[in-house]
């Protein structure tokens, strides 16, 4: 039943984004600006549009929460699949954010945490809330990394 809901929501989102294809460049620019607003000040202006040899990732954490980063990466997939060719002029900004949050997630992943079922059951048995919170953060970071790599693919 839950999958049906997700499918219906994805269909509605796709229909909405398909209708946005009739918008002019200024209106689509507003959409991109709204998508990137949680990341304002995170990207260096000289990175946006720079060639690949001079581009560097920001050193600090993104200003957006991990949930916002996941939401951005998920919504970005829908936006690019429906409006991709219309947003070519905004690709450098979008790619800069995707690369930056993906690189930040990769840098902050704990190399000792594994995704196998045995380690998951061991972590679920833990009574320490700080450890459970840390595992949630690690799971979100893995999700950000995975979604970011999918967007780059």
């Amino acid at each position: 039943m839950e999958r049906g809901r997700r499918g219906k929501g994805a269909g509605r989102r796709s229909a909405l984004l398909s209708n946005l294809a009739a918008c002019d460049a200024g209106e689509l620019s507003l959409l991109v600006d709204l998508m990137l607003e949680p990341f304002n000040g995170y990207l260096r202006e000289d990175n946006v549009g720079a060639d690949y040899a001079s581009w560097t990732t920001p050193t600090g954490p993104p200003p957006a929460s991990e949930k916002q980063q996941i939401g951005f990466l998920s919504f970005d997939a829908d936006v690019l699949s429906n409006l991709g060719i219309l947003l070519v002029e905004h690709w450098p900004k979008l790619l800069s954010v995707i690369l930056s949050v993906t690189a930040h997630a990769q840098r902050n992943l704990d190399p000792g945490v594994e995704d196998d079922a045995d380690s998951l059951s061991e972590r679920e048995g833990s009574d320490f809330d700080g450890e459970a919170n840390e595992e949630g953060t690690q799971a979100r970071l893995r999700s950000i990394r995975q979604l970011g790599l999918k967007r780059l693919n």
Side-chain angles (χ1 to χ4, degrees), residues 18-93:
S18 294
N19 286 331
L20 288 177
C23 293
D24 64 16
E27 292 166 331
L28 291 175
S29 180
L30 178 62
L31 173 67
V32 172
D33 290 343
L34 289 172
M35 288 174 58
L36 297 178
E37 197 242 331
F39 302 96
N40 280 347
Y42 181 55
L43 297 178
R44 293 180 21 201
E45 288 300 318
D46 57 340
N47 271 346
V48 177
D51 70 19
Y52 68 92
S54 63
W55 193 89
T56 59
T57 60
T59 56
S65 71
E66 292 165 345
K67 288 183 179 183
Q68 285 177 315
Q69 293 173 49
I70 291 169
F72 166 76
L73 291 168
S74 298
F75 187 60
D76 188 58
D78 294 332
V79 167
L80 290 178
S81 68
N82 287 289
L83 303 172
I85 196 69
L86 300 172
L87 299 175
V88 170
E89 68 186 68
H90 300 286
W91 284 4
K93 289 190 286 187

Side-chain angles (χ1 to χ4, degrees), residues 66 123 130-142:
E66 292 165 345
R123 291 189 302 246
E131 188 175 307
N133 187 28
E134 178 65 26
E135 292 305 319
T137 297
Q138 290 293 310
R140 285 188 297 274
L141 288 172
R142 284 191 299 273

